[in-house]
Amino acid sequence: MKKLKKYLLFLFLLLVAALNFNMILKPLNLTTGGNQGLAILLSHVFDLRPSFIILIINIIMIILSYFLLPKETTFGTVFATFVYPLLVRLTSFINFNINNYEIIFVIISGIICGVTCGYIYRLGFSQGGINVLSVILKKYFKIKIYMTNFIINFVILCFGIYYFGILKGLYSFVVIIINSYLINKILSKKTSLNSKK
């Protein structure tokens, strides 16, 4: 029963992340890093569906997860590999005008990214995609997840500035900062989730 609740929470967090992607990140072209930012960037460059790009990235990363991470983490990554792109595709029709309140939604998006990613990591899972690299580096090299995320995201951000301009880059940077801060805070908290591991 506890494992079922764990996966239901995981599913809910993936759904929230998918909504955030389609309602804020993609409309504003925020290349915030991770598979989401990379999907926005590559979909613009190669004219491909973001959900398809996310799926391809996830499949590559799941192979690494299989060989380098615990089975439960890998199973969770398998789950996210197929469920998250599906949720992105299913919620792609949801949109509303956020152009007049961009900075407010940028902040909201950063909070959503940080909370969803942070608690997914706390559950012992990964959202799939490039985030798997952060989990691998933490396990083998003791590099903090938020630091690895920040570096990867910054590289993707630089390409985003090239394609979408400095303003979008600044917005993306705000999301990255909020995201990294919240992930660090969530992972550093001592709660019952940690004590059960």
Side-chain angles (χ1 to χ4, degrees), residues 60-107:
I60 293 169
M61 291 300 142
I62 203 171
I63 295 170
L64 292 176
S65 179
Y66 176 80
F67 289 106
L68 300 173
L69 295 175
K71 289 182 180 179
E72 187 176 11
T73 302
T74 301
F75 183 76
T77 305
V78 171
F79 185 79
T81 292
F82 297 102
V83 172
Y84 180 67
L86 177 62
L87 292 173
V88 169
R89 183 75 182 113
L90 292 176
T91 58
S92 61
F93 70 93
I94 302 174
N95 58 72
F96 58 94
N97 186 13
I98 61 176
N99 293 327
N100 295 328
Y101 309 96
E102 286 186 356
I103 190 61
I104 294 174
F105 282 101
V106 164
I107 293 169

Side-chain angles (χ1 to χ4, degrees), residues 162-193:
Y162 175 79
Y163 284 104
F164 300 116
I166 293 176
L167 181 60
K168 298 297 184 181
L170 289 173
Y171 284 164
S172 299
F173 188 68
V174 170
V175 174
I176 291 170
I177 291 292
I178 297 171
N179 177 42
S180 299
Y181 174 80
L182 289 176
I183 288 175
N184 185 43
K185 283 293 181 183
I186 290 168
L187 292 181
S188 63
K189 278 185 178 179
K190 292 182 178 180
T191 67
S192 56
L193 277 174

Side-chain angles (χ1 to χ4, degrees), residues 31-34 148-157 176 179-180:
T31 51
T32 55
T148 308
N149 279 352
F150 184 83
I151 294 169
I152 293 171
N153 294 345
F154 184 76
V155 172
I156 295 171
L157 170 64
I176 291 170
N179 177 42
S180 299

Side-chain angles (χ1 to χ4, degrees), residues 34-48:
N35 51 340
Q36 297 180 121
L38 198 55
I40 290 170
L41 188 62
L42 294 178
S43 67
H44 174 77
V45 175
F46 298 107
D47 194 28
L48 296 170

